């Protein structure tokens, strides 16, 4: 039994262990230090001061900001202990130590040592061992820094391009060592996820980097933010939230980022090409870029995304390397007859649960000929339940031939689909709000919703979130006017993962969505009951105020 120090430090506390990964964003309330993911085994448990032992993390890249906020507010775990490779929470702890002098130990244990720690009541972490009531586990020192730096890398590290670039290179160097990377590579573009106001720590970090003179070196787009940038005041958003959220977005724009404000950058005109190395954050975007576009990016945590944008460099590790893009689990899927668009997010959510720590290959789907909309929904829901950076669909995605010969097998049959459907449909039939646009709605999705609502008027609140580019497209086509005539509110810049009251109707108690991602995160984020279904079922719920009572025909 052995472990390794990832980030050093001393800590002691009660052990809180679980064998299921956790997304800090959407799964943990940083202000309370408590797990809010209602589907997680640790739901309701307090994390502050505990030695938290998890296999790894999953879900959103924004978890690093949540962890940093917990550290700055004194609500963080005493230490983080992982069994598998982990970057998101580790990066939050690294920034807490590097930029704010708040060290938080991070360890990685082998399977046997992790199992022992999970059975212990208390643990004390020192520089070379974890002492528990069940015995000690020796710890190896942090991984050696084997990184080969170019002359330009060294110049940045030495401060030739200013203190912000130097700090970015120090953080990149530390993360590269943790990942075992031997060199950095150039990336063509970056996408910033840290512009979401998930916590005050995101703003603290961005403004500190701006003070240090941060300026991006490569084309850099921005994720959805937490408010409608131009209209949040007239929408009634409280200034103590809207003001900092706008300041955060503006800080990144001042660093040279493009105010695209979308969580679906693959819908933009400059989406990456097959084989192109990029530095993206935002889980659904990363999975779509790798899986569907055939581009190459790791699932970079918040804050590391800016470090990559400031330097134009990323560690050569993870899915940048072909050997790490191999499917190591084959999931045979029973494809029902007559599926609708709800099938794809449901499948993604289930596939992520079946493959939380490795890239899967989904078989049995080629006959359905999924297009970009279906794959968008599949990838987004998969990212909510898996920590893997991509998936393959046999006969559909460009790298589905990348299969480990020792891959294991799993299956999703009709019974599993029904079980998943029921898990995502625990809310009541009466619906107060219909949520479309997680990730951001495409022009095609907006056109389809306008057709479904033609001649009808929304009885329940109907809100669509989307990017600025898509908004301009549907405005020019007259689709926006049609949606608004049906009673829909169409809101740019923010998305459902960051929407707050009163934009989120305060009186709404039950929500219907066509997003597997929001069906997963919504109960914890909003405190509301959630129903899930196809876009047509969402339109019906908007028009009637009621969700369908029965299973869809392809599941019944």
């Amino acid at each position: 039994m052995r472990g390794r120090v990832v980030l050093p430090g001393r800590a002691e506390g009660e052990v809180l262990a679980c064998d299921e990964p956790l997304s800090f964003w959407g799964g943990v309330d940083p202000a309370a230090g408590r797990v809010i993911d209602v589907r997680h085994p640790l739901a309701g448990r307090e994390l502050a001061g505990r030695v938290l032992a998890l296999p790894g993390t999953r879900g959103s890249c924004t978890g690093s900001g949540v962890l940093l906020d917990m550290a700055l507010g004194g609500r963080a775990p005493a230490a983080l202990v992982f069994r598998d490779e982990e970057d998101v929470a580790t990066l939050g702890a690294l920034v807490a130590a590097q930029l704010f002098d708040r060290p938080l130990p991070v360890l990685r244990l082998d399977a046997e040592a992790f199992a022992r720690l999970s059975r212990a009541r208390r643990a004390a972490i020192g520089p070379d061992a974890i002492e528990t009531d069940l015995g000690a586990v020796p710890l190896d020192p942090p991984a050696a820094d084997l990184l080969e730096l170019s002359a330009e890398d060294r110049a940045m590290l030495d401060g030739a391009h200013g203190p912000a670039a130097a700090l970015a290179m120090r953080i990149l160097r530390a993360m590269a060592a943790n990942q075992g990377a031997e060199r950095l590579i150039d990336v063509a573009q970056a996408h910033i996820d840290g512009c979401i106001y998930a916590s005050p720590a995101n703003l603290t970090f961005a403004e500190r980097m701006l003070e240090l003179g941060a300026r991006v070196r490569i084309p850099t787009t921005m994720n959805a933010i937490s408010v409608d940038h131009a209209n949040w005041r007239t929408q009634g958003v409280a200034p103590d939230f809207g003001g900092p959220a706008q300041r955060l977005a503006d800080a990144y724009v001042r660093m040279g980022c493009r105010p695209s404000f979308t969580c679906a950058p693959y819908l933009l005109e400059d989406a990456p090409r097959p084989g192109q190395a990029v530095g993206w954050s935002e889980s659904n975007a990363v999975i779509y870029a790798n899986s569907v576009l055939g581009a190459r990016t790791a699932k970079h945590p918040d804050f590391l995304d800016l470090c990559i944008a400031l330097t134009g460099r990323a560690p050569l590790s993870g899915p940048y390397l072909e050997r790490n893009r191999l499917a190591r689990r084959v999931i045979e899927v029973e494809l029902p007859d007559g599926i609708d668009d709800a099938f794809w997010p449901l499948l993604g959510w289930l596939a992520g649960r079946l493959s939380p720590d490795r890239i899967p290959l989904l078989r049995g789907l080629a006959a359905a000929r999924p297009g970009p909309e279906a794959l968008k929904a599949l990838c987004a829901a998969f990212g909510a339940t898996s920590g893997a950076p991509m998936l393959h669909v046999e006969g559909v995605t460009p790298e589905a031939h990348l299969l480990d010969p020792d891959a294991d097998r799993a299956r999703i049959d009709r019974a599993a689909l029904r079980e998943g459907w029921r898990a995502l449909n625990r809310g009541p039939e009466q619906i107060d709000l219909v949520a479309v646009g997680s990730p951001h709605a495409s022009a095609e999705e907006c056109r389809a919703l306008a057709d479904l609502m033609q001649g009808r008027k929304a009885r329940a609140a109907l809100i669509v979130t989307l990017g600025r580019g898509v908004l301009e497209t549907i405005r020019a086509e007259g689709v926006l006017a049609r949606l608004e005539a049906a009673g829909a509110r169409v809101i740019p810049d923010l998305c459902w993962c960051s929407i707050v009251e009163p934009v989120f109707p305060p009186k709404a108690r039950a929500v219907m969505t066509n997003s597997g991602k929001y069906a997963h995160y919504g109960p914890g984020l909003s405190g509301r009951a959630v129903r899930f279904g196809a876009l047509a079922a969402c339109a019906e719920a908007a028009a009637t105020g009621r969700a369908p009572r029965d299973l869809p025909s392809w599941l019944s």
Side-chain angles (χ1 to χ4, degrees):
M1 288 189 298
R2 294 202 70 85
R4 177 168 66 83
V5 175
V6 176
L7 296 177
R10 293 181 178 272
E12 183 175 359
E14 176 187 346
V15 175
L16 181 62
C18 185
D19 60 2
E20 184 173 326
L22 173 68
S23 175
F24 275 76
W25 181 88
V28 178
D29 177 359
R34 182 175 62 250
V35 177
I36 58 172
D37 181 346
V38 298
R39 296 184 177 88
H40 197 275
L42 296 181
R45 300 294 297 274
E46 303 284 343
L47 303 184
R50 307 282 179 71
V51 175
L52 180 62
L54 298 167
T57 57
R58 66 186 182 196
S60 177
C61 304
T62 305
S64 49
V66 173
L67 194 280
L68 176 61
D69 191 61
M70 294 170 74
L72 297 183
R75 298 176 296 274
L80 297 171
V81 183
F82 298 112
R83 186 191 64 206
D84 305 327
E85 292 184 8
E86 199 285 330
D87 285 343
V88 174
T90 299
L91 195 280
L94 176 62
V95 171
Q98 287 268 344
L99 203 54
F100 300 102
D101 195 27
R102 299 289 182 93
L104 194 164
V106 180
L107 312 176
R108 185 178 176 197
L109 304 185
D110 64 30
E112 188 178 357
F114 183 86
R116 171 181 282 189
L117 177 67
S118 297
R119 296 191 300 270
R121 292 190 300 274
R122 293 187 63 83
I125 297 168
D128 51 19
I130 305 177
E131 300 288 344
T132 78
D133 48 283
L134 297 180
V137 175
L139 296 174
D140 295 328
D145 185 351
L146 303 175
L147 199 63
E148 178 184 328
L149 296 177
S150 70
E152 182 67 4
D153 293 336
R154 291 194 178 280
M156 281 190 276
L157 189 62
D158 293 340
H161 297 281
L167 175 61
M169 187 56 71
R170 288 201 302 273
I171 292 173
L172 277 169
R173 189 176 186 177
M175 289 300 289
N178 180 49
Q179 296 165 0
E182 297 181 0
R183 64 184 180 91
L184 304 177
I185 58 167
D186 290 330
V187 293
Q189 59 175 263
H191 182 71
I192 300 292
D193 186 55
C195 53
I196 293 177
Y197 189 62
S199 69
N202 290 70
L203 178 59
T204 302
F205 171 80
E207 292 192 333
R208 180 70 62 87
M209 295 299 283
L210 191 60
E211 289 170 4
L212 294 174
R215 188 76 185 174
V216 302
R217 291 167 61 95
I218 56 177
T220 303
T221 51
M222 291 174 64
N223 204 42
I225 58 175
S226 298
V227 290
D228 178 344
H229 191 276
N231 300 303
W232 64 266
R233 292 176 182 84
T234 60
Q235 292 166 348
V237 176
D240 60 358
F241 180 83
Q246 185 175 37
R247 279 171 53 199
L248 175 61
D250 291 344
Y252 279 103
V253 173
R254 290 170 64 191
M255 292 185 228
C257 300
R258 171 184 167 191
S260 50
F261 299 160
T262 180
C263 53
Y266 41 83
L267 298 178
L268 300 173
E269 70 281 356
D270 54 354
R273 303 184 305 273
Q276 188 175 45
V278 298
W280 278 16
S281 192
E282 214 300 324
S283 61
N284 100 85
V286 166
I287 295 167
Y288 191 95
N290 281 322
S291 307
V292 181
L293 302 182
R296 298 201 169 190
T297 178
K299 195 173 88 169
H300 297 297
D302 286 13
F303 311 140
L304 194 66
D305 49 12
L306 180 62
C307 295
I308 291 169
L310 295 179
T311 61
R313 305 280 276 168
L316 180 59
S317 60
Y320 288 111
L321 298 166
E322 184 166 299
R323 67 174 181 268
N324 294 327
R325 297 171 73 87
L326 272 62
R328 292 186 166 84
R329 175 158 293 157
V330 175
I331 301 178
E332 301 284 351
V333 180
E334 180 182 350
L335 180 64
D337 294 330
I339 59 169
D340 59 25
D341 53 277
F343 170 77
W344 300 103
L346 175 61
L347 175 63
W349 188 79
L350 289 168
R353 288 168 64 91
L354 271 181
S355 194
D357 59 353
R358 66 196 66 189
I359 296 168
L361 169 69
L362 307 185
R363 276 185 173 157
L365 300 170
R369 298 183 179 180
E373 294 295 317
L375 295 171
K376 169 175 173 272
L378 175 76
C379 290
F382 176 78
T385 52
S386 178
M390 64 185 299
L391 53 80
H392 301 293
V393 182
E394 190 173 65
V396 177
T397 57
E399 295 177 282
H401 59 283
L402 297 178
L403 177 62
D404 188 325
D406 296 323
D408 58 16
R409 298 292 191 272
R411 180 172 173 79
I412 295 176
D413 57 16
R414 193 181 298 257
L417 291 166
R418 289 195 193 100
E419 182 180 351
W421 186 274
R422 294 187 181 102
L424 295 178
N425 278 281
R426 292 176 176 165
E429 289 179 35
Q430 183 173 333
I431 299 298
D432 308 304
L433 169 65
V434 174
V436 176
S438 179
H440 270 166
S442 66
E444 182 176 336
E445 193 174 8
C446 292
R447 294 181 196 113
L449 181 60
D451 290 343
L452 289 164
M453 293 298 295
Q454 186 67 35
R456 311 175 87 179
K457 193 76 173 180
R459 180 175 176 182
L462 171 58
I463 299 178
V464 181
T465 62
L466 74 186
R468 292 179 169 190
V470 171
L471 179 61
E472 291 310 308
T473 297
I474 66 167
R475 177 181 283 120
E477 295 178 352
V479 172
L480 176 61
R482 293 172 60 205
L483 287 170
E484 290 177 337
R489 292 183 67 192
V490 180
I491 305 176
D493 299 349
L494 55 74
C495 80
W496 284 100
C497 294
S498 57
I499 196 169
V500 297
E501 295 181 3
V503 181
F504 188 112
K507 294 182 178 179
R509 300 265 66 87
V511 183
M512 179 89 179
T513 183
N514 66 332
S515 165
K517 178 178 181 177
Y518 193 63
H520 177 83
Y521 286 126
L525 289 172
S526 70
R528 272 72 165 192
V530 175
R531 292 290 291 262
F532 163 76
L535 189 64
C538 288
E540 184 69 18
T544 65
R546 301 195 70 81
R549 176 177 298 182
D550 301 321
L551 289 168
S553 59
W554 51 271
L555 272 183
S556 59

